[in-house]
Amino acid sequence: MRYEIMLIILGMAAVTFFTRFGAVALLKKTGLPTWFERWFKHLPTAVLTALIVPGVILPQGWIDLSLNNHYLLAGILTAVVAYLCRNAILTMGMGLIAILSFRWFGI
């Protein structure tokens, strides 16, 4: 491996470690404000939504809200299952079955 690449990797590791260590050390002494804790519990949902929605709505690089968008149909069905059942395994399984079915049968 080239020397420069190793230095870049070590530098990135150091920056990542010290930013996380600094945050933990600071928050250990001061704690989180209650308003921030309430806001912070919604962060995983926001990040997951930001990762999923572009792939569902923009499968070919442009907005496709038609019934020919299998990703959108499977996403809607999966969201309904997630809301009704609140079971992660069932939700992921239903999403996989839905997208495979739409692709296989060409609905």
Side-chain angles (χ1 to χ4, degrees):
M1 185 179 290
R2 291 189 1 216
Y3 181 70
E4 298 87 19
I5 294 175
M6 185 59 88
L7 283 178
I8 291 171
I9 291 172
L10 290 174
M12 290 187 305
V15 168
T16 301
F17 173 77
F18 286 117
T19 55
R20 292 182 183 189
F21 179 76
V24 169
L26 178 67
L27 293 176
K28 186 176 182 180
K29 292 188 181 241
T30 62
L32 285 174
T34 56
W35 65 268
F36 190 72
E37 285 182 14
R38 285 192 311 251
W39 175 82
F40 204 62
K41 73 177 184 178
H42 298 290
L43 188 64
T45 306
V47 169
L48 189 61
T49 302
L51 291 172
I52 291 173
V53 168
V56 169
I57 295 179
L58 306 162
Q60 270 84 36
W62 61 85
I63 295 177
D64 184 7
L65 299 176
S66 69
L67 293 176
N68 294 328
N69 184 353
H70 297 141
Y71 297 105
L72 180 61
L73 297 175
I76 291 170
L77 181 62
T78 304
V80 169
V81 169
Y83 180 76
L84 294 176
C85 298
R86 300 195 188 273
N87 182 333
I89 300 296
L90 182 65
T91 300
M92 288 184 279
M94 191 61 187
L96 183 61
I97 290 169
I99 193 66
L100 291 175
S101 298
F102 290 143
R103 292 286 183 155
W104 183 265
F105 297 117
I107 298 173

